[in-house]
Amino acid sequence: MVAIYYVMAVSALYFVILLFSFRNIRDIFRRANYSKYNTLSGSELVPSVSLLVPAYNEELTIAENVRCLMTLNYPTYEVIVINDGSSDDTLQVLIEEYGLTLLPNPELRGNIHTHKMRGIYYNPQYPQLYVIDKENGGKADSLNAGINLSRYPLISSIDADSLLEKDALIRMARMYMENPEETVAIGGDVRIANGCVIENGEVKDVSLPRRMWPMFQSIEYLKAFLGGRIGWSHLNGLIIVSGAFGMFRKDYVIAVGGYRGGYPGEDMNIIIKLHRYMLENKIKYRVSFCPEAVCWTQAPDSYNILSNQRKRWGRGNLKNMIENRNMLFNPKYKVMGLLTMPYNVIFEALNPYFRITGLLALLGYVMLDMTNWQVLVVFGLVNFLSGYLLSVGALILEEMAFRRYTKLSDLVKMLLFSALKFVGYHQLGVLWRVQGHIQYMQNNNSWGTMTRQSWKDKNEAA
Amino acid sequence: MFSNLAMAYVFIYVCLGLIAAGIILLFQMKIKHNAEQKEMERLKKKYHDYFVYVQTHLHGDITPELPPGKLTPAERRVIQAKFMEWIEQFKGDAREKLLRLCRDAGFVEADIRALSSLRKDRRIEAAYRLGGMRAEEAVPQLQHMMNRMKYGPMTIIIARAIAKSAVQSQQIREMLSKLLSYDKAIHHMAADILLETRLDSASLMRKLLDDPDPGLVKVSLVAMWGQAIPAVVPALGKLVGSEEKDVRAEAVKLYLSSNPALKDDTIEELMNDHAWEVRSAAAKALGRLHAAGSIPLLASALKDDNWYVRNHSAESLAMLGEQGFETLCQAALTGTGPARETALYRIERIMAKEGEHEQVEQMVAYNKRKLVYDRYFGVQPSKRIGTVAGVGGDYTA
């Protein structure tokens, strides 16, 4: 019965967070609809932002993504692409596309230690674009190199396989301007681009993915971002700002020593470090989530790539929890120490073990006395229905505030896949997480394979 | 075990009930939204000719009229949205005609009534639309609404509506004071809101610069976007000596941007100010003001702890003729640490512009610098120092 209670407790917590999301969703809708961004996006009063785009073997998508970033509705910003020692032609593609030349004597303002920089490329005709070429050192190392070159007080990390909506940055900046002293980080909403029509680095027609794996991820992202992060940000207990799209105060990122290299999960790590720094120094702060600032990303569409990604996440999550274990149940760290971290350890990191041992115990119990088979069914139903209810909740939030998927058939498809997720995909998620933990124990720190398709191919295949 | 199972059953039934209700709600919302969307599209098409008629008469002598007959709520929404879109785009007579149309159609009246609605949604929407229609009569109610509210994104929406609608500078002042009273350091946002006003900006800025509240002074300084309006320069001159660091820095920046004649001791005072923002603004202005007498001050500012001060000093030195450029070359050759790096970087940038000059004067100036450069670094023009120059850890940006 412990297993059933565990599931019910997890669900209850999820529901509480979901309720906070519901509490805030109308305000989000109003601020997104009744704030006019065209005046702000032409205003010198908006803070300047340095966009940092780490790129490793992105030759197929990088040109289109940079084109997208160069045409955002934002007054003053720079795009810094960091070629992290790619073995393909990422750098060459950029040099040719933008006519870049090596800067003879570039200046670096920051001094966070990074792997060696080979050079910085620039073309005065594209004054806001810089390309750093450096030796391979990982995503965190690339972001640190970008910080060292950046000129502006805000930085925004963007994955090279992601496309920002034209207003995404200005929406985030508006949120920042509402409380600039206390805001240390803002996360954007990440959505799955597979299936959408993409033209000139812009999502022209929103559609659900046609393939199974991206479709499951679509539902998963909706649930995590709308159902979870809106609520957590209300409590100021957000533990992660997605690496795909987030905005940070540069001075605080530097104060915490920049991004931690050498291990996945740097996006969660930087947020934990920021919480820790602000709380230890008793500085009033907030880590916010801006769901109306949307970034579209390519989701892995094959089993191998997806499993590698999830194992990496599992490993990164465990590493972050172990590294920051002293925050657990520590009242000094307020919501982070008393709620977010325990929640993350008990209900996220250890989740697979509770579920697996619970299921095994139940199976054993049923094997001993076959007349109790209904206990197993009840366990399954509690699991399924509570999860499905959360998905339905996330879909209602989407419909209340964003309505990106307009077709009725999309709604039917999302409801169907929200249910199908529990037959196989959910269990695979548990397995991948356990495998990630095993990799952590074995000190296996590989990134795994990640292949890209150009946006054009993606449109055809998705 | 039985009671445990019974509890699980209750949980299951509750979940089932909520799921069923959720799915019904989802379909109902989706169908309703899609139908509304379709209806809006249909109405936009239906009123296309009417919109063309209004648009053609916005700039002529004829005042456009409302469409004949009684409008349905959906029709009113479509027409009002289009008028509001145009109000943002047009100024002068065209805007006045549109505002009058909104009044005649009863849009303003209806939205003022909606400000008292029990539903927050309707109140906020009405406030937004009243701002869009520059409804001055709604300002007292909007102020009341703002005063009763906790700070958040809705406060900004209402503040904007007040800024757009207000016809008295006192109303703007009260709105700004309220915004700043939340103590959130939102001067930039407040300045952006202030710029929505229809009032004469020069006299409004002058009033705010003379305000005893330093917060309001800062908002007006920020709102000038780094370019002083001539009418406010005397007020800025006074603020240059302000004790508030932020106010002083902003005032100095703006004051210097108005190209004033500066006394030597004023320049020295500014270049030795303890706020880096002031030193940086002064360093930046000296090149543009062609204050050749300040070369020694700028040369010593190359050693400043702050990145901006160093770089602006180097930039200004480069603008101060041969003498300034020679000072830069000296710093690059004989200086140390950041001063040397900053000077080198600036020299590299200037020398890299070879062949880019179209005007004869520019070519002559470049050649003079080239001679000085060759004298210090030898004849080879592409002498590069290192691959990546580290200017030191300065994160003030």
Side-chain angles (χ1 to χ4, degrees):
Chain A
M1 269 340 273
V2 178
I4 293 184
Y5 278 129
Y6 176 81
V7 172
M8 281 158 72
V10 181
S11 309
L13 248 170
Y14 275 132
F15 287 137
V16 172
I17 298 297
L18 186 72
L19 283 179
F20 278 118
S21 298
F22 269 101
R23 190 169 176 259
N24 284 284
I25 199 73
R26 292 306 299 171
D27 272 355
I28 291 168
F29 173 77
R30 287 183 211 117
R31 79 177 179 219
N33 276 272
Y34 305 138
S35 302
K36 281 288 163 206
Y37 295 100
N38 50 356
T39 50
L40 260 189
S41 60
S43 164
E44 290 292 321
L45 298 165
V46 176
S48 314
V49 184
S50 299
L51 306 185
L52 312 180
V53 191
Y56 178 71
N57 289 352
E58 308 276 0
E59 60 176 5
L60 291 175
T61 54
I62 194 73
E64 187 133 24
N65 291 2
V66 171
R67 198 176 310 132
C68 159
L69 293 176
M70 301 274 279
T71 53
L72 298 178
N73 299 332
Y74 202 83
T76 318
Y77 70 101
E78 62 182 355
V79 180
I80 301 176
V81 183
I82 307 107
N83 176 42
D84 190 28
S86 299
S87 54
D88 68 356
D89 280 338
T90 302
L91 180 66
Q92 212 47 43
V93 167
L94 285 169
I95 288 174
E96 279 166 24
E97 182 80 19
Y98 293 99
L100 305 170
T101 50
L102 193 66
L103 269 182
N105 197 6
E107 52 172 343
L108 290 182
R109 293 186 194 187
N111 58 1
I112 304 177
H113 177 74
T114 63
H115 279 62
K116 193 171 172 251
M117 260 188 221
R118 296 177 190 139
I120 294 165
Y121 293 81
Y122 182 71
N123 179 356
Q125 283 180 346
Y126 301 98
Q128 82 224 76
L129 175 66
Y130 290 86
V131 175
I132 299 177
D133 182 33
K134 63 182 275 292
E135 287 176 0
N136 183 257
K139 189 174 169 188
D141 192 65
S142 305
L143 288 168
N144 287 338
I147 292 172
N148 283 344
L149 181 70
S150 64
R151 282 182 289 174
Y152 297 133
L154 295 178
I155 52 167
S156 175
S157 63
I158 293 158
D159 276 356
D161 61 342
S162 304
L163 297 172
L164 290 195
E165 286 192 356
K166 296 293 172 211
D167 280 345
L169 208 56
I170 196 75
R171 286 168 189 265
M172 259 192 190
R174 186 202 46 74
M175 184 177 243
Y176 172 79
M177 286 172 79
E178 271 170 26
N179 195 353
E181 268 189 357
E182 291 170 19
T183 308
V184 291
I186 304 175
D189 184 18
V190 180
R191 287 169 181 259
I192 304 295
N194 307 45
C196 298
V197 177
I198 288 143
E199 275 172 31
N200 295 322
E202 203 179 339
V203 174
K204 288 280 181 206
D205 185 24
V206 175
S207 247
L208 285 168
R210 284 188 282 277
R211 288 192 176 178
M212 178 182 73
W213 297 114
M215 187 58 218
F216 281 132
Q217 291 169 79
S218 232
I219 302 289
E220 219 178 2
Y221 276 47
L222 263 186
K223 200 170 150 184
F225 281 86
L226 302 187
R229 292 195 190 175
I230 296 175
W232 280 114
S233 103
H234 177 78
L235 300 171
N236 201 20
L238 210 54
I239 198 171
I240 186 168
V241 156
S242 168
F245 181 35
M247 188 190 261
F248 302 83
R249 275 266 297 263
K250 187 165 83 176
D251 50 356
Y252 284 122
V253 171
I254 289 166
V256 300
Y259 286 85
R260 178 211 52 201
Y263 222 87
E266 73 293 324
D267 45 2
M268 180 185 278
N269 185 265
I270 191 77
I271 296 298
I272 298 177
K273 284 204 291 190
L274 285 170
H275 276 292
R276 181 191 279 277
Y277 180 86
M278 304 308 280
L279 290 163
E280 284 177 357
N281 290 288
K282 297 190 170 57
I283 307 169
K284 211 171 168 201
Y285 77 104
R286 64 170 188 164
V287 174
S288 303
F289 175 58
C290 184
E292 64 266 39
V294 176
C295 159
W296 294 89
T297 195
Q298 268 195 30
D301 57 3
S302 75
Y303 177 87
N304 273 341
I305 303 171
L306 181 61
S307 70
N308 279 331
Q309 184 198 54
R310 296 308 158 99
K311 285 176 211 168
R312 208 168 57 232
W313 288 2
R315 225 158 66 214
N317 184 295
L318 188 62
K319 167 90 172 170
N320 284 325
M321 292 304 110
I322 292 173
E323 251 183 19
N324 295 286
R325 59 189 177 279
N326 70 331
M327 288 175 86
L328 261 178
F329 299 111
N330 188 338
K332 188 168 118 184
Y333 297 105
K334 297 187 176 166
V335 176
M336 267 309 272
L338 298 176
L339 194 63
T340 309
M341 292 291 283
Y343 167 86
N344 214 61
V345 169
I346 301 169
F347 298 128
E348 292 286 338
L350 300 179
N351 183 318
Y353 308 105
F354 277 109
R355 284 182 191 262
I356 291 169
T357 48
L359 184 67
L360 288 178
L362 268 178
L363 276 174
Y365 177 69
V366 174
M367 301 280 258
L368 283 177
D369 180 1
M370 291 304 280
T371 54
N372 280 323
W373 60 270
Q374 69 267 45
V375 177
L376 205 60
V377 176
V378 167
F379 177 75
L381 272 177
V382 167
N383 233 325
F384 167 71
L385 291 175
S386 56
Y388 193 64
L389 179 56
L390 288 166
S391 297
V392 171
L395 291 178
I396 294 176
L397 288 170
E398 162 74 7
E399 192 57 37
M400 282 173 80
F402 307 106
R403 297 165 209 159
R404 300 284 165 146
Y405 305 100
T406 48
K407 289 172 258 174
L408 204 60
S409 58
D410 285 342
L411 177 61
V412 175
K413 193 172 170 183
M414 285 196 279
L415 282 169
L416 180 69
F417 272 80
S418 299
L420 287 176
K421 202 160 75 73
F422 293 93
V423 194
Y425 184 76
H426 193 67
Q427 290 72 15
L428 279 173
V430 171
L431 175 73
W432 291 330
R433 193 171 289 180
V434 174
Q435 285 178 323
H437 293 176
I438 294 169
Q439 285 180 344
Y440 175 82
M441 303 298 173
Q442 291 171 335
N443 261 338
N444 176 350
N445 196 17
S446 64
W447 192 263
T449 50
M450 183 71 205
T451 50
R452 296 265 182 253
Q453 275 179 285
S454 79
W455 286 108
K456 193 168 164 285
D457 298 341
K458 201 86 199 170
N459 286 344
E460 284 156 11
Chain B
M1 190 71 192
F2 176 77
S3 63
N4 285 334
L5 260 186
M7 196 171 154
Y9 281 131
V10 171
F11 186 82
I12 288 170
Y13 287 133
V14 171
C15 280
L16 274 173
L18 287 171
I19 288 170
I23 292 177
I24 292 168
L25 180 67
L26 263 174
F27 276 99
Q28 186 257 335
M29 279 161 76
K30 178 67 82 190
I31 291 165
K32 189 175 157 224
H33 288 147
N34 284 355
E36 273 175 5
Q37 204 62 35
K38 227 170 154 182
E39 175 67 358
M40 289 293 158
E41 291 305 320
R42 188 186 70 79
L43 290 175
K44 271 182 201 166
K45 270 190 201 141
K46 180 181 167 188
Y47 282 97
H48 177 261
D49 290 347
Y50 172 70
F51 292 142
V52 173
Y53 152 78
V54 174
Q55 209 170 5
T56 33
H57 291 106
L58 278 180
H59 299 284
D61 293 333
I62 301 167
T63 306
E65 288 181 22
L66 289 167
K70 197 171 182 313
L71 298 171
T72 64
E75 286 171 328
R76 290 166 69 87
R77 271 210 302 280
V78 168
I79 294 170
Q80 188 176 8
K82 183 50 100 183
F83 285 174
M84 281 170 58
E85 185 190 317
W86 282 338
I87 289 169
E88 295 302 323
Q89 289 169 8
F90 299 121
K91 284 200 163 62
D93 269 359
R95 180 186 275 186
E96 288 307 319
K97 282 181 186 173
L98 289 162
L99 295 180
R100 204 169 312 131
L101 275 174
C102 285
R103 274 197 173 73
D104 294 347
F107 297 153
V108 173
E109 201 187 326
D111 278 327
I112 288 179
R113 270 201 311 274
L115 284 181
S116 322
S117 164
L118 290 175
R119 284 176 51 204
K120 189 179 172 187
D121 265 353
R122 289 207 63 197
R123 292 199 301 270
I124 301 288
E125 192 183 3
Y128 168 74
R129 289 204 294 229
L130 286 165
M133 295 184 293
R134 311 298 191 265
E136 59 219 53
E137 57 271 52
V139 173
Q141 258 178 285
L142 290 170
Q143 281 178 313
H144 180 65
M145 202 170 158
M146 188 177 167
N147 291 339
R148 285 178 44 199
M149 216 170 221
K150 260 173 60 182
Y151 180 70
M154 302 310 118
T155 321
I156 305 291
I157 294 169
I158 295 171
R160 253 182 222 286
I162 295 173
K164 284 178 174 179
S165 309
V167 281
Q168 296 163 23
S169 57
Q170 185 57 22
Q171 291 171 330
I172 299 273
R173 193 195 172 280
E174 280 169 18
M175 177 273 291
L176 289 174
S177 295
K178 182 67 194 165
L179 262 187
L180 298 179
S181 71
Y182 300 109
D183 211 17
K184 297 282 182 197
I186 48 165
H187 299 92
H188 281 74
M189 181 62 103
D192 189 68
I193 292 170
L194 169 64
L195 292 172
E196 302 264 17
T197 182
R198 290 187 281 171
L199 299 171
D200 171 39
S201 60
S203 76
L204 186 60
M205 299 279 184
R206 208 174 50 235
K207 269 187 195 157
L208 289 173
L209 284 178
D210 284 331
D211 203 281
D213 180 351
L216 292 179
V217 175
K218 203 173 160 193
V219 170
S220 64
L221 286 170
V222 172
M224 279 184 259
W225 286 21
Q227 201 59 52
I229 305 167
V232 303
V233 172
L236 284 174
K238 276 187 274 169
L239 289 169
V240 167
S242 166
E243 284 185 8
E244 285 264 332
K245 186 191 126 189
D246 292 354
V247 170
R248 194 169 71 250
E250 288 294 335
V252 166
K253 268 188 240 171
L254 284 166
Y255 184 64
L256 292 174
S257 75
S258 67
N259 293 332
L262 291 175
K263 289 187 214 145
D264 284 352
D265 47 349
T266 313
I267 295 178
E268 199 166 340
E269 216 172 281
L270 293 175
M271 286 297 285
N272 289 316
D273 198 286
H274 56 269
W276 70 264
E277 291 94 335
V278 175
R279 297 198 301 278
S280 156
K284 191 175 180 180
L286 289 175
R288 204 179 51 247
L289 294 173
H290 301 293
S294 58
I295 288 179
L297 278 172
L298 288 169
S300 75
L302 286 175
K303 296 177 210 138
D304 199 286
D305 288 340
N306 184 277
W307 183 91
Y308 282 104
V309 181
R310 289 197 301 271
N311 275 272
H312 285 149
S313 299
E315 209 176 312
S316 283
L317 279 171
M319 291 162 85
L320 293 174
E322 273 171 85
Q323 212 189 336
F325 188 69
E326 190 160 353
T327 309
L328 264 184
C329 290
Q330 275 168 0
L333 208 63
T334 58
T336 51
R340 178 172 171 271
E341 298 288 358
T342 309
L344 270 176
Y345 173 69
R346 183 59 47 191
I347 293 167
E348 289 283 357
R349 284 196 55 173
I350 295 164
M351 298 320 290
K353 287 186 179 159
E354 185 176 11
E356 286 177 20
H357 309 290
E358 287 171 9
Q359 303 287 332
V360 177
E361 291 83 357
Q362 286 177 336
M363 261 187 270
V364 171
Y366 177 83
N367 287 336
K368 281 183 182 170
R369 285 171 176 169
K370 177 91 169 58
L371 281 173
V372 176
Y373 179 89
D374 290 347
R375 193 145 40 85
Y376 278 86
F377 299 104
V379 189
Q380 66 278 32
S382 56
K383 185 174 176 183
R384 306 286 187 225
I385 293 94
T387 48
V388 175
V391 186
D394 186 341
Y395 300 112
T396 42

